[in-house]
Amino acid sequence: MKFKLHIWRQENARAKGHFETYEVDNISPECSFLEMLDILNEHLVNDQIAHPVCFDNDCREGICGMCGLYINGRPHGNDDGITTCQLHMRKFNDGDEIWIEPWRAKAFPVIRDLVVDRTAFDKIIQAGGYISTTTGGVPDANTIPIAKHKADQAMDAAACIGCGACVAACKNASAMLFVGAKVSHLALLPQGKVEAADRVKKMVCKMDELGFGSCTNTYACEAECPKQIKRQNIARLNRHWIGSLFGRDRRD
């Protein structure tokens, strides 16, 4: 397969970026998108054409959330429920033109090329603090009874990998789905209820401080989330936020 790639190149956060066009050939349909970029970089270096294209990656198994790219107008590309590293070239047609950009958000400044600084997410997590729970050995099963539907909801929320696709998809660059998932997976469990009110206030305040936009309920975040985190977590976040302002203990 042959592709024409329009890739965002930017020397650093202060430099003005631009698109550069490259062509790759003999790409297997079973090749992943990141493997295709590896092939491109090998060509750029070996033929002394340009510096290799910088992009984030780590596990390449859809676990770590490092490999976020904006591909043809969609976070992670033209498939549902996958990260960029799980996107394969068979999803494209031979001869396609592909536009590749970094995440676009004030809170995610570009470091170089397709790499953005996502430490804003880490700062939101840090603002949430810890949970109060007994340390020591592994507790016996069912020591703390938890209703199955609550455990399932908490597990679904905890599946968030913090890739930032929700922010990239949102017209306001809102982080509400991410913060909603992180608040929910602790607030739904007994271990997370002690600091629940304080946690939600600190995380929401930190989110606003870092420059993320407001949620306007377009649900683009849910549509593009590789782990299919549900928008109900945003509603839960709002309920807990309002409850924390009036000193109410939410039970959901």
Side-chain angles (χ1 to χ4, degrees):
M1 300 179 76
K2 183 177 181 179
F3 302 99
K4 179 179 286 188
L5 309 176
H6 304 280
I7 302 179
W8 185 260
R9 304 304 305 265
Q10 186 171 333
E11 186 66 26
N12 54 55
R14 295 176 298 278
K16 185 177 180 179
H18 63 279
F19 283 101
E20 289 189 7
T21 302
Y22 307 100
E23 291 190 357
V24 290
D25 204 351
N26 297 319
I27 301 296
S28 168
E30 303 309 313
C31 186
S32 76
F33 199 88
L34 296 188
E35 288 170 340
M36 181 273 295
L37 291 179
D38 289 337
I39 293 171
L40 169 65
N41 279 340
E42 184 176 5
H43 170 59
L44 295 179
V45 172
N46 290 344
D47 294 348
Q48 298 183 340
I49 297 173
H51 290 294
V53 177
C54 295
F55 59 92
D56 265 332
N57 70 103
D58 191 2
C59 72
R60 298 202 177 196
E61 295 179 349
I63 297 171
C64 70
M66 289 287 291
C67 61
L69 298 178
Y70 207 74
I71 303 167
N72 286 348
R74 288 189 65 182
H76 295 303
N78 57 337
D79 202 356
D80 297 324
I82 53 97
T83 53
T84 301
C85 63
Q86 296 172 301
L87 179 66
H88 290 82
M89 302 314 295
R90 60 177 176 266
K91 290 292 181 178
F92 300 90
N93 297 316
D94 188 25
D96 274 357
E97 293 190 43
I98 305 174
W99 295 80
I100 310 169
E101 305 172 65
W103 289 164
R104 303 290 190 183
K106 177 183 177 182
F108 290 161
V110 173
I111 296 174
R112 183 169 183 173
D113 294 342
L114 305 174
V115 180
V116 300
D117 183 355
R118 283 178 285 190
T119 55
F121 272 5
D122 297 328
K123 292 176 182 177
I124 292 173
I125 295 295
Q126 291 167 0
Y130 301 92
I131 63 170
S132 295
T133 187
T134 303
T135 60
V138 178
D140 294 334
N142 300 322
T143 300
I144 303 176
I146 302 172
K148 185 179 186 305
H149 74 281
K150 293 291 186 184
D152 289 345
Q153 289 175 346
M155 184 63 73
D156 290 343
C160 171
I161 57 176
C163 67
C166 52
V167 176
C170 178
K171 64 180 182 179
N172 302 323
S174 172
M176 287 289 281
L177 189 66
F178 167 78
V179 178
K182 296 307 177 184
V183 165
S184 291
H185 89 260
L186 290 175
L188 285 163
L189 300 175
Q191 296 92 330
K193 288 191 180 298
V194 178
E195 298 88 1
D198 191 46
R199 181 186 305 113
V200 69
K201 283 191 287 188
K202 287 180 177 179
M203 292 180 78
V204 170
C205 287
K206 179 60 69 172
M207 174 183 67
D208 292 340
E209 174 190 321
L210 292 169
F212 291 101
S214 300
C215 175
T216 49
N217 298 308
T218 62
Y219 307 141
C221 53
E222 181 186 62
E224 300 295 357
C225 176
K227 297 303 176 182
Q228 300 179 323
I229 304 298
K230 302 301 182 185
R231 61 181 181 268
Q232 283 80 1
N233 290 295
I234 297 177
R236 184 177 295 109
L237 169 64
N238 286 328
R239 291 196 299 271
H240 279 266
W241 163 253
I242 293 171
S244 71
L245 299 179
F246 292 96
R248 296 172 184 168
D249 180 19
R250 296 297 308 181
R251 295 298 175 182
D252 58 345

